[in-house]
Amino acid sequence: MAFSNIERHYNKHPEDLRLQRRHGMVEFATTMHHLHRFLHPDTSLLDIGAGTGRYTSALMAEGYRVKAVELVQRNIDVFLKREPTADVVRGDARHMPFIPTASADVTLLLGPLYHLIGDEEKLRALNEAKRVTKPGGLIFVAYLMNEYSILSYCFDEERIGGLMAKGVVDDNYHIQAQADELYDYVRIEDIDRLNQKAGLQRVTIFSPDGAADYMRTRLNRMSEETFAHFIAYQKRISERPDLIGAGSHVVDVVKVPLP
């Protein structure tokens, strides 16, 4: 992962706006729906890779104690302008010595693994999230899905042949991200492998957006009533195993084992 690539991306593509567009609203609403299943009034949360703090802000408004960690200074500036009282610190998900061990009941890791290339880098972030989460606590881990990228970019943009010739996409149609690329894409079996290596136990896994990223223009044309039904639909079908891997993201909810 090259920090300069990440910083350039978030300076050019403001994360704060993404979750306010309709496809992002589906992702946000579905993730919050599942998060609420596991929260109680005294839950302490850690938001690693908090971006501009959309999740932290929403949880703070509900009265939860949330500490946020974010890598990109511009995101922190946007976050603090909207939420001046937020407890946010600049840091890297792979190494957070400033966060005490076993200090959070629930940890959000909803962005960093998009940008960490390969198992080794992802495991550094997963193991650090495991360290700072209490035994028996939960980690919400978001991933970018391989098939969304294959369909939306490799085929839709007529790039598949060239990318396969270069080895960027293998014969199994799995993207092989290079070390200096911005994103890494996975399949469910890759997530399963990471969980096994990190010693994390799945509680559930869900698609926060489903078809929303494929349907951006159609979502924008929907009436408010129809769009509300679409969000309700995505919440209802988000854990269906026959649909999970086809969306642009998944969120894996894993438990830190008890001693």
Side-chain angles (χ1 to χ4, degrees):
M1 175 189 68
F3 171 66
S4 58
N5 290 346
I6 295 173
E7 192 166 39
R8 280 195 298 270
H9 172 77
Y10 286 107
N11 286 340
K12 185 178 179 181
H13 301 283
E15 175 70 8
D16 210 47
L17 297 179
R18 185 182 71 84
L19 291 177
Q20 296 180 61
R21 300 183 177 112
R22 277 193 162 179
H23 68 280
M25 291 166 66
V26 175
E27 175 189 332
F28 180 81
T30 305
T31 302
M32 289 295 289
H33 165 73
H34 286 287
L35 184 57
H36 282 133
R37 292 169 53 190
F38 301 101
L39 299 181
H40 54 78
D42 296 326
T43 298
S44 63
L45 294 107
L46 175 64
D47 188 359
I48 304 171
T52 56
R54 281 289 169 185
Y55 286 99
T56 293
S57 293
L59 292 162
M60 287 175 62
E62 294 176 5
Y64 292 103
R65 293 175 291 116
V66 190
K67 185 173 183 65
V69 179
E70 169 55 29
L71 183 65
V72 178
Q73 185 60 49
R74 182 194 180 279
N75 286 343
I76 294 174
D77 294 342
V78 173
F79 184 2
L80 289 175
K81 185 175 181 180
R82 187 184 65 250
E83 203 73 65
T85 63
D87 180 5
V88 57
V89 62
R90 191 174 187 184
D92 187 322
R94 297 168 296 182
H95 183 58
M96 301 180 296
F98 46 86
I99 302 294
T101 297
S103 57
D105 296 304
V106 173
T107 295
L108 307 183
L109 198 64
L110 296 179
L113 269 64
Y114 301 168
H115 304 299
L116 296 173
I117 309 300
D119 281 12
E120 183 177 348
E121 290 295 281
K122 288 183 175 64
L123 283 168
R124 288 178 64 188
L126 284 171
N127 284 321
E128 189 68 341
K130 180 181 176 182
R131 178 187 69 80
V132 300
T133 307
K134 297 175 183 178
L138 300 179
I139 309 173
F140 281 63
V141 190
Y143 295 90
L144 290 175
M145 299 311 289
N146 185 81
E147 269 45 65
Y148 173 77
S149 183
I150 289 286
L151 293 170
S152 294
Y153 301 112
C154 301
F155 281 111
D156 195 45
E157 297 182 7
E158 301 268 356
R159 300 172 62 197
I160 187 67
L163 291 171
M164 292 189 78
K166 293 177 182 178
V168 176
V169 177
D170 67 19
D171 291 340
N172 196 32
Y173 293 92
H174 196 313
I175 296 169
Q176 303 298 309
Q178 306 304 303
D180 60 346
E181 291 183 13
L182 183 62
Y183 294 119
D184 197 7
Y185 300 90
V186 302
R187 286 173 167 158
I188 299 298
E189 59 261 33
D190 301 316
I191 301 172
D192 292 343
R193 181 180 66 250
L194 290 165
N195 284 345
Q196 184 176 18
K197 289 181 177 180
L200 295 167
Q201 304 165 352
R202 176 170 298 146
V203 175
T204 188
I205 186 169
F206 65 89
S207 174
D209 43 24
D213 262 338
Y214 299 99
M215 296 176 61
R216 293 187 185 201
T217 56
R218 281 173 282 178
L219 290 179
N220 291 336
R221 292 197 302 264
M222 286 180 184
S223 67
E224 291 294 335
E225 179 184 1
T226 301
F227 181 59
H229 278 296
F230 187 92
I231 291 178
Y233 164 77
Q234 184 55 36
K235 290 177 181 177
R236 182 64 61 89
I237 59 94
S238 59
E239 292 175 286
R240 285 185 58 130
D242 55 335
L243 299 173
I244 285 172
S248 58
H249 306 80
V250 299
V251 176
D252 196 25
V253 183
V254 292
K255 179 180 286 189
V256 176
L258 294 169

